[in-house]
Amino acid sequence: MATRKSTAKTTSQSNTSREELLKFYREMLLIRRFEEKAGQLYGMGLIGGFCHLYIGQEAVVVGLEAAAEEGDKRITSYRDHGHMLACGMDPKGVMAELTGRAGGYSRGKGGSMHMFSKERHFYGGHGIVGAQVPIGAGLAFADKYLDNGRVTFTYFGDGAANQGQVYETYNMAQLWELPVIFVIENNQYAMGTAVKRSTRSPNLWERGAAYGIAGEEVDGMDVLAVKAAGEKAVAHCRAGKGPYILEVMTYRYRGHSMSDPAKYRSREEVQKIREERDAIEHVRELILQGTHATEDELKEIDKEIKAIVNAAAEFARESPEPSVDELFTDIYAEAANG
Ligand SMILES: Cc1ncc(C[n+]2csc(CCOP(=O)(O)OP(=O)(O)O)c2C)c(N)n1
Ligand SMILES: [Mg+2]
């Protein structure tokens, strides 16, 4: 992963308002504390099935959401809780879905990987690696057809980036100049396989060149850099220039999913990145150095976030399991005209 350049830090600090820094801090912390709580509930047997935590990658989605406008769309893989929280979905509804309760976004029938929100333009949550990529282009096709100026953020991993359907999608997206931002969340691993073991060409974003698609690499541990790159990509799409690729260099601190033998990397590797590159710590430092807030004020924010997460967990535990009747709902779409 590229090391953080001190010049980027200086620029970010001078250009970013107190409000925005605090907003980033709050949003990233919400994801981290929510995910920690989800990990605990999983350990207590309250969450069944798959559960992939986003801890470490928070700056990616928070930075890109800061570049989005109301009505823009997003779609991602199974590592999706952070994306839901960042686009404004209710932590209570997300946690209740994780625990399979009726108060969840899919009424307890979807779980971690299968949640959607039409109101927040969040199109899932997809368990099949890479499957969301052509769907993301399809969403962008609809927006282009409707000429509504909207952009779709299509997130996928470094592992997914080796799939054929990604390149078929690149070709069509560029051919039709679709307003889609392909966001490769390069967290260095696909389950237990390091990028360098699966991929000879190290720069995944450069593969877009074969299709004429512009792109760039971004430091995904610096939320300000992510936002700046996101704004550039959004402007490109909204100007009708077609798709854009952002390869965001990030790192996941936890296992691939809840069971992970962790034999493919050392504890020291994870520890080093946590200590030296953590995105939340970075923003915390910017806030304190710029005297935008005191330690005590940040502690107050920590408390508020904890309370939101505890309330979500409480809601999830108290929400009933879905009734048996729910087995027969959400199977077929209702026909509009009877
Ligand atoms: C088509 C398909 N193949 C294999 C799997 C099993 N699988 C689940 S996640 C994963 C790794 C994907 O890694 P990456 O795209 O880097 O995303 P990350 O988990 O790092 O977010 C694999 C192989 C799957 N779900 N779907
Ligand atoms: Mg990965």
Side-chain angles (χ1 to χ4, degrees):
M1 195 189 321
T3 48
R4 192 178 286 134
K5 294 184 188 80
S6 56
T7 46
K9 251 189 179 174
T10 322
T11 328
S12 319
Q13 202 170 355
S14 50
N15 289 347
T16 309
S17 69
R18 171 183 192 271
E19 286 63 40
E20 187 159 50
L21 285 172
L22 290 172
K23 175 176 156 298
F24 287 150
Y25 182 71
R26 222 179 260 280
E27 291 179 357
M28 290 195 289
L29 202 62
L30 173 64
I31 296 174
R32 184 155 307 176
R33 296 287 174 261
F34 181 96
E35 291 291 67
E36 286 166 356
K37 181 63 82 180
Q40 282 170 13
L41 297 188
Y42 193 97
M44 292 161 72
L46 290 166
I47 295 175
F50 285 103
C51 183
H52 307 83
L53 302 181
Y54 196 62
I55 297 175
Q57 301 183 210
E58 297 90 346
V60 182
V61 80
V62 168
L64 289 176
E65 283 294 338
E69 278 178 18
E70 185 55 42
D72 289 339
K73 301 183 168 117
R74 58 284 287 168
I75 185 165
T76 189
S77 70
Y78 42 82
R79 201 176 299 290
D80 54 358
H81 316 151
H83 301 69
M84 296 182 225
L85 298 176
C87 76
M89 287 169 66
D90 183 352
K92 290 183 177 165
V94 179
M95 199 65 98
E97 190 57 45
L98 293 184
T99 53
R101 306 301 171 104
Y105 269 97
S106 301
R107 285 177 260 186
K109 299 185 291 181
S112 165
M113 305 192 290
H114 305 110
M115 272 181 258
F116 307 85
S117 169
K118 207 172 161 191
E119 295 73 34
R120 298 307 314 131
H121 312 285
F122 177 77
Y123 289 84
H126 293 265
I128 301 301
V129 170
Q132 73 277 18
V133 180
I135 300 172
L139 292 168
F141 180 88
D143 287 334
K144 170 129 187 173
Y145 185 79
L146 297 169
D147 196 19
N148 61 15
R150 303 275 59 102
V151 164
T152 298
F153 292 83
T154 299
Y155 294 85
F156 54 101
D158 45 280
N162 281 326
Q163 276 200 344
Q165 62 181 329
V166 170
Y167 300 95
E168 292 180 45
T169 304
Y170 280 2
N171 184 49
M172 300 199 87
Q174 178 70 347
L175 181 67
W176 291 335
E177 296 175 327
L178 303 181
V180 54
I181 302 173
F182 296 109
V183 183
I184 306 170
E185 294 202 54
N186 187 344
N187 61 7
Q188 325 293 325
Y189 294 95
M191 298 183 90
T193 306
V195 173
K196 55 180 177 294
R197 287 183 59 222
S198 65
T199 303
R200 182 57 71 91
S201 54
N203 298 324
L204 302 173
W205 68 271
E206 281 182 346
R207 297 176 181 181
Y211 305 87
I213 306 178
E216 62 189 275
E217 181 183 310
V218 190
D219 180 353
M221 304 307 263
D222 180 350
V223 67
L224 306 171
V226 177
K227 183 193 170 196
E231 282 174 338
K232 195 170 153 192
V234 164
H236 178 97
C237 287
R238 286 209 221 282
K241 294 182 185 166
Y244 200 88
I245 300 172
L246 293 176
E247 181 179 358
V248 193
M249 307 307 284
T250 184
Y251 198 79
R252 79 170 147 71
Y253 297 168
R254 295 289 184 94
H256 166 73
S257 64
M258 299 312 291
S259 62
D260 180 334
K263 291 194 172 141
Y264 51 89
R265 62 181 181 182
S266 65
R267 273 168 187 267
E268 290 70 33
E269 175 184 310
V270 183
Q271 198 53 29
K272 192 169 157 56
I273 292 176
R274 284 195 90 129
E275 279 168 15
E276 296 176 8
R277 307 290 330 281
D278 187 72
I280 299 179
E281 271 309 306
H282 175 222
V283 169
R284 197 182 141 78
E285 277 168 28
L286 290 180
I287 292 171
L288 293 173
Q289 280 165 17
T291 60
H292 296 300
T294 61
E295 291 262 7
D296 282 347
E297 284 166 328
L298 291 182
K299 265 188 201 145
E300 269 315 301
I301 295 179
D302 296 2
K303 260 196 216 161
E304 279 169 38
I305 299 293
K306 232 182 195 171
I308 294 171
V309 170
N310 284 338
E314 200 59 34
F315 176 81
R317 281 159 170 256
E318 283 172 6
S319 180
E321 296 201 335
S323 78
V324 174
D325 298 346
E326 284 289 353
L327 279 173
F328 307 102
T329 62
D330 304 320
I331 296 168
Y332 298 109
E334 301 281 339
N337 298 314

